[in-house]
Amino acid sequence: MLSLKNISLVSVACVMLLLGACAGQANTSASQPEVENAADINEQAVAQAAAVEVVAAQQTTEPVPSEAPAGMPVNADGETIVARVNSVEILESELNRALARYQSQIEVLDLDALRTDILNSMIEQVLIEQAAAAQNITVSDAEVQAEIDANIQIAGSPEAWQQWLANNLYTEEEFRETLRETLITARMRDIVTQGIHGDVPHVHARHILVATEAEANELLARINNGEDFGALAAAHSSDVTTREQGGDLGWFAQGELLEPYLAEVAFSLEPGQVAGPVATALGFHLIQTLEKADRPIPEEKLPMVAQGQFELWLAGLISQATIEVY
């Protein structure tokens, strides 16, 4: 069952992504700070997201006026189109309504950045629903109504439920559609991540993280000349949680590291091989695969790995889609 609190947390997902994006940009500066283990950072982000609670505002907020700049496309009804996703239109009125809902729930520091992030989330939702339709994944009206009935019970009365909708800037139809989208996304997530149970491929690897590509290349040359990878990691890596262990990242599955491309490289190597420099938001990495094996994912890491798997799948949809943003 999806409770009122669940829906509030769904509504701030874009904000959490925005904060994560800002953190990533900050780490690309020339004076790169020392960072923590990539896997640890991911765990911290999941914990922080789970701890977020939004208190619904007690006043309504009017949608942002829709004034299309010159040259913006419109549909047959004269409504401004802000994006097309594989020919599916996203309307400015829909975007403005979602933006107003966020403004009623949280303090917005950068309205333009939030607007962009909400639009990206709407684009992703279209792709998820298209993928669900291709697999004949649907949510019935009866299933949506059952969730709504449960939420009315939680609210205490139909009148209290209507007040909750008003406080959170939902019409009944808007909430039904949001709920349907959430249920479809949950079902696609279950399908995409069903393979993470049981024994799955893991890699045991170590890395060296530095601020510049030139420094990474210099260290790579020293490794190729016979110097010990672990000793160089201890002396030069800016990853403070792994350098004392010679850069050891431990065992990890796909979707477990903060930087998916770094994991891809590790999985592509044979034991003993070194690759790099690998550029990520954290800096430049040299990575060495030590071992490979099929292992179970620890229970406490399953949510984090599932999220990583889903994001990798979604990134694949985005790379293959025709997306136009106006």
Side-chain angles (χ1 to χ4, degrees):
M1 182 185 68
L2 295 174
S3 69
L4 304 186
K5 181 178 177 181
N6 293 142
I7 296 300
S8 294
L9 290 175
V10 167
S11 71
V12 298
C14 289
V15 180
M16 298 308 298
L17 290 174
L18 178 62
L19 293 175
C22 291
Q25 292 166 4
N27 281 333
T28 60
S29 63
S31 57
Q32 181 187 3
E34 294 180 333
V35 300
E36 299 178 358
N37 186 334
D40 289 342
I41 293 171
N42 228 7
E43 290 177 352
Q44 292 165 10
V46 170
Q48 290 166 357
V52 172
E53 293 189 4
V54 175
V55 179
Q58 297 303 308
Q59 73 279 354
T60 59
T61 303
E62 293 299 321
V64 179
S66 178
E67 296 181 2
M72 290 282 284
V74 296
N75 65 9
D77 296 324
E79 297 178 285
T80 302
I81 300 168
V82 292
R84 285 192 178 96
V85 185
N86 294 328
S87 299
V88 173
E89 297 171 352
I90 297 176
L91 301 179
E92 186 176 42
S93 58
E94 297 169 334
L95 175 59
N96 286 340
R97 181 67 171 167
L99 182 59
R101 188 171 297 120
Y102 277 69
Q103 289 178 276
S104 77
Q105 296 176 337
I106 61 172
E107 180 183 1
V108 178
L109 301 179
D110 189 334
L111 189 61
D112 288 338
L114 180 59
R115 185 181 188 277
T116 297
D117 206 64
I118 292 173
L119 179 57
N120 288 338
S121 181
M122 295 173 77
I123 290 170
E124 291 174 353
Q125 186 61 42
V126 172
L127 291 171
I128 291 169
E129 291 179 34
Q130 289 174 344
Q135 297 193 42
N136 296 317
I137 304 299
T138 61
V139 172
S140 69
D141 292 341
E143 290 172 301
V144 173
Q145 187 60 50
E147 294 286 350
I148 289 176
D149 290 343
N151 277 311
I152 292 174
Q153 284 190 326
I154 294 171
S157 69
E159 293 76 19
W161 171 243
Q162 291 298 322
Q163 186 61 54
W164 186 91
L165 290 175
N167 287 346
N168 289 274
L169 301 186
Y170 280 107
T171 65
E172 288 193 35
E173 186 54 39
E174 284 173 334
F175 188 82
R176 283 180 180 275
E177 182 57 28
T178 297
L179 188 53
R180 188 185 304 276
E181 292 172 355
T182 303
L183 291 170
I184 287 174
T185 298
R187 291 188 180 175
M188 287 307 302
R189 180 189 174 95
D190 288 344
I191 291 172
V192 171
T193 62
Q194 62 186 351
I196 67 173
H197 300 281
D199 288 344
V200 299
H202 277 69
V203 161
H204 178 202
R206 57 185 178 179
H207 80 141
I208 301 172
L209 175 62
V210 292
T212 68
E213 186 174 12
E215 187 178 0
N217 279 320
E218 179 185 342
L219 292 173
L220 180 61
R222 292 172 65 177
I223 292 168
N224 290 336
N225 286 332
E227 291 194 49
D228 181 69
F229 189 107
L232 290 174
H236 299 281
S237 182
S238 60
D239 184 346
V240 296
T241 61
T242 66
R243 69 183 179 200
E244 296 303 320
Q245 294 77 44
D248 197 339
L249 291 166
W251 287 93
F252 55 87
Q254 284 282 16
E256 192 172 341
L257 288 188
L258 176 67
E259 295 292 344
Y261 182 59
L262 189 63
E264 277 185 42
V265 174
F267 272 90
S268 72
L269 299 174
E270 293 302 319
Q273 288 185 320
V274 176
V278 178
T280 73
L282 301 174
F284 293 87
H285 306 254
L286 301 179
I287 188 160
Q288 182 181 45
T289 292
L290 301 173
E291 305 172 80
K292 288 183 173 181
D294 289 344
R295 300 158 56 96
I297 297 172
E299 191 72 26
E300 67 274 10
K301 290 188 175 182
L302 283 174
M304 178 179 62
V305 175
Q307 180 64 22
Q309 290 270 359
F310 189 72
E311 289 175 0
L312 285 173
W313 172 78
L314 188 54
L317 294 184
I318 293 170
S319 69
Q320 298 171 21
T322 300
I323 301 172
E324 301 169 274
V325 177
Y326 306 107

